[in-house]
Amino acid sequence: MSLKEKVAEFMTREFPQTNVVVEEVGNRSAKVRQPIGEEHLRPGGTVSGPVLMAVADVAMYAAILGEIGLVALAVTTNFTINFLRKPSATCDILGECRLMKVGKRLVVGEVLLYSEGDLEPVAHAVGTYSIPPVR
Amino acid sequence: MSLKEKVAEFMTREFPQTNVVVEEVGNRSAKVRQPIGEEHLRPGGTVSGPVLMAVADVAMYAAILGEIGLVALAVTTNFTINFLRKPSATCDILGECRLMKVGKRLVVGEVLLYSEGDLEPVAHAVGTYSIPPVR
Amino acid sequence: MSLKEKVAEFMTREFPQTNVVVEEVGNRSAKVRQPIGEEHLRPGGTVSGPVLMAVADVAMYAAILGEIGLVALAVTTNFTINFLRKPSATCDILGECRLMKVGKRLVVGEVLLYSEGDLEPVAHAVGTYSIPPVR
Amino acid sequence: MSLKEKVAEFMTREFPQTNVVVEEVGNRSAKVRQPIGEEHLRPGGTVSGPVLMAVADVAMYAAILGEIGLVALAVTTNFTINFLRKPSATCDILGECRLMKVGKRLVVGEVLLYSEGDLEPVAHAVGTYSIPPVR
């Protein structure tokens, strides 16, 4: 199995509620896709904020798993998101994560979120994850 | 109907996906409750980060509706959350929002999230919402 | 010497550039005061953003020193500030910090900043500090 | 005068306390340089957090002036910074800003901060600025 397949399988097993698709993992980065349905929309015909937050969190988690392996349990400590544009109600949301720091105790990454087919991001997130000490 | 009932009814109608219960609204504040089930948990037996984010967002939204009325459509522009402790997998999550600024264009609020029965918060969130101009 | 005096002396010695006055320390909290002069102002007759950020950072640092002692060197890992109102150009800035989590590895605190004499805060900050392992 | 020279002159006049040098402005971006001296350091031989925050704020402000012109007075509403690595005590700090959204009411930008000569950033900041309505 490729690293991407391993991470995707791990995410499916450990986070069965999410239907985010892991599309790429490696080199301190990850790409994910969230298929959008009625249950992700909010009034005004757009994707709800918490859905975007969840996609960003999964993208960072996938990138971190690609770096530190599938065993460790990273914990989000801080998460900041800026909403930039109204996402399309009919396109998938794509998340592209790039890790800016992979330390022994803390990992920091950023994610750009897009409505598929649009070049301008709909949101930008930054997250910090704490890596538990090896026992 | 009380203000709390009006806001709760509005939220149920406009955000049918969420099952967050609006418990108090008024005086630039709101309290909400998220019943926790299997679908909100993540590995390690705790409530997932995106669930906490969604509860905080709803709490702020309810407090804002209580101030500016049910017509206007506030839009989240910035949202920051710090995770402080591991939430219980078996207790409801309570969210207490306090608005720090209610301006004509921007509203800023903070939310403390608790596992019911625990005095120490599990997370703290701050959000900024843009209020569309009256037409 | 009281805890407050010890922390104030430490801050003066270690951060000689700042003229923030430490007024209270203890019980996971701290209060500080920034005398405002011409050098802290920006166009429009208000206190500049970076000055408010520095006051918030010092307030959190003082509160942390009060909890973990004067030896350890805490490092800011994340800092978020929301600007709520225009500060007065002629009043001192007061910073009130409350630590929300004092863990072994991470400390999280929030600070409310005021123009002295005004009840509504001019800004709200949240910061995360990493505590180096004891060697 | 070039756009860069106009912005640099404006910054020098309006923010006389800062000695940040504006090096590039245009295309929704800006580059600035902070010469580092004794007054910018903190214990442990590194650049203090508030100095990095101030450089990021100036970089975003310069990029915004390049887009909306020198008259308008943008106001920071939200600012988040993640500290990634210990900056060098002997190198200039470089700030590279890229605006992610330039709206009528809100501008959102991110800044990467470097110790000159190092490829890995020492910090990453995101800021939101409110643009006052034209009267």
Side-chain angles (χ1 to χ4, degrees):
Chain A
M1 273 203 292
S2 70
L3 177 61
K4 193 268 281 183
E5 288 165 337
K6 282 180 194 161
V7 168
E9 190 195 67
F10 179 87
M11 301 285 285
T12 304
R13 194 171 62 237
E14 301 285 313
F15 300 91
Q17 308 98 330
T18 180
N19 63 342
V20 177
V21 181
V22 177
E23 300 201 321
E24 289 182 30
V25 177
N27 293 318
R28 299 193 164 193
S29 68
K31 294 192 182 180
V32 304
R33 169 189 298 268
Q34 170 72 64
I36 295 300
E38 198 63 41
E39 72 272 25
H40 302 112
L41 302 183
R42 55 160 281 176
T46 187
V47 180
S48 82
V51 168
L52 297 178
M53 297 181 203
V55 178
D57 191 48
V58 167
M60 288 198 231
Y61 210 81
I64 293 170
L65 290 177
E67 292 302 311
I68 67 173
L70 302 183
V71 186
L73 209 68
V75 179
T76 315
T77 59
N78 174 269
F79 181 89
T80 296
I81 187 164
N82 279 278
F83 298 96
L84 305 171
R85 289 168 192 84
K86 195 175 152 177
S88 162
T90 55
C91 298
D92 288 0
I93 293 290
L94 306 181
E96 302 186 358
C97 173
R98 192 173 59 84
L99 301 180
M100 294 186 286
K101 175 188 174 162
V102 182
K104 278 180 202 154
R105 305 170 87 207
L106 289 177
V107 175
V108 184
E110 71 174 333
V111 179
L112 282 163
L113 296 167
Y114 298 89
S115 283
E116 188 171 25
D118 199 338
L119 289 176
E120 297 276 17
V122 298
H124 175 270
V126 189
T128 307
Y129 294 74
S130 176
I131 310 298
V134 182
R135 298 171 204 196
Chain B
M1 272 203 295
S2 69
L3 178 60
K4 191 267 282 183
E5 288 165 337
K6 282 181 194 160
V7 169
E9 190 195 67
F10 180 87
M11 300 284 287
T12 304
R13 194 172 61 239
E14 300 285 311
F15 299 92
Q17 308 98 333
T18 179
N19 64 341
V20 177
V21 181
V22 177
E23 300 202 318
E24 291 182 30
V25 176
N27 293 317
R28 300 194 165 193
S29 68
K31 293 191 183 182
V32 304
R33 169 189 298 269
Q34 170 71 65
I36 294 299
E38 197 64 42
E39 72 272 25
H40 302 112
L41 303 184
R42 56 161 281 178
T46 188
V47 179
S48 82
V51 168
L52 297 178
M53 297 180 201
V55 177
D57 192 48
V58 168
M60 287 197 231
Y61 209 81
I64 292 170
L65 289 176
E67 292 302 311
I68 66 172
L70 302 184
V71 185
L73 209 69
V75 178
T76 315
T77 59
N78 174 269
F79 181 89
T80 296
I81 187 165
N82 278 278
F83 297 95
L84 305 171
R85 287 168 194 84
K86 196 175 153 178
S88 162
T90 56
C91 298
D92 288 0
I93 293 291
L94 306 180
E96 302 186 358
C97 173
R98 192 173 60 83
L99 300 180
M100 295 186 286
K101 175 187 176 163
V102 181
K104 276 179 204 154
R105 305 169 87 208
L106 287 177
V107 176
V108 183
E110 71 173 334
V111 178
L112 283 163
L113 296 167
Y114 298 88
S115 282
E116 188 170 25
D118 199 337
L119 290 176
E120 298 276 18
V122 297
H124 174 271
V126 189
T128 306
Y129 295 73
S130 177
I131 312 298
V134 184
R135 298 169 202 203
Chain C
M1 272 204 294
S2 70
L3 177 61
K4 193 268 283 183
E5 288 166 337
K6 281 180 194 162
V7 169
E9 190 194 68
F10 180 87
M11 300 284 287
T12 305
R13 193 172 63 238
E14 300 285 313
F15 299 92
Q17 308 97 331
T18 179
N19 64 341
V20 177
V21 181
V22 177
E23 299 202 319
E24 289 182 30
V25 176
N27 293 317
R28 299 193 165 194
S29 69
K31 294 191 182 182
V32 304
R33 169 188 298 270
Q34 171 70 66
I36 295 300
E38 198 63 43
E39 73 272 25
H40 303 112
L41 303 183
R42 56 160 279 176
T46 188
V47 179
S48 82
V51 167
L52 296 179
M53 297 181 202
V55 177
D57 190 50
V58 168
M60 287 199 231
Y61 209 82
I64 293 170
L65 290 176
E67 292 302 311
I68 66 172
L70 303 182
V71 185
L73 209 68
V75 178
T76 314
T77 59
N78 174 269
F79 181 89
T80 297
I81 187 164
N82 279 277
F83 298 95
L84 305 171
R85 290 169 191 83
K86 196 176 153 178
S88 162
T90 56
C91 298
D92 288 0
I93 293 290
L94 306 181
E96 300 186 0
C97 173
R98 190 172 61 83
L99 300 181
M100 295 186 285
K101 175 187 174 162
V102 182
K104 277 181 202 153
R105 306 170 87 207
L106 288 177
V107 176
V108 183
E110 71 174 333
V111 179
L112 282 163
L113 296 167
Y114 298 90
S115 283
E116 188 170 26
D118 199 337
L119 289 177
E120 297 277 17
V122 297
H124 174 270
V126 189
T128 306
Y129 294 73
S130 176
I131 311 298
V134 183
R135 297 169 204 203
Chain D
M1 271 202 295
S2 70
L3 177 61
K4 192 269 284 184
E5 287 165 338
K6 282 180 193 160
V7 169
E9 189 195 69
F10 179 87
M11 300 285 286
T12 304
R13 193 171 64 239
E14 300 285 312
F15 300 91
Q17 307 98 330
T18 179
N19 63 342
V20 177
V21 182
V22 177
E23 300 202 319
E24 290 181 30
V25 177
N27 293 317
R28 300 195 165 192
S29 68
K31 293 191 182 181
V32 304
R33 169 188 298 269
Q34 169 72 64
I36 294 300
E38 198 63 43
E39 72 272 25
H40 302 112
L41 302 184
R42 57 161 279 177
T46 188
V47 179
S48 83
V51 167
L52 296 179
M53 297 181 203
V55 177
D57 191 50
V58 168
M60 288 198 230
Y61 209 81
I64 293 170
L65 290 175
E67 292 302 311
I68 67 173
L70 303 183
V71 186
L73 209 66
V75 178
T76 314
T77 59
N78 174 268
F79 181 89
T80 297
I81 187 165
N82 278 278
F83 298 96
L84 306 172
R85 288 168 193 85
K86 196 175 152 177
S88 162
T90 55
C91 298
D92 289 0
I93 292 290
L94 306 181
E96 301 187 358
C97 174
R98 191 173 60 84
L99 301 180
M100 293 185 287
K101 175 188 174 162
V102 182
K104 276 180 202 153
R105 305 169 87 208
L106 288 177
V107 176
V108 183
E110 72 173 333
V111 179
L112 283 163
L113 297 167
Y114 298 89
S115 283
E116 188 170 26
D118 199 338
L119 289 177
E120 297 276 17
V122 297
H124 174 271
V126 188
T128 307
Y129 294 74
S130 177
I131 311 298
V134 182
R135 299 170 201 198

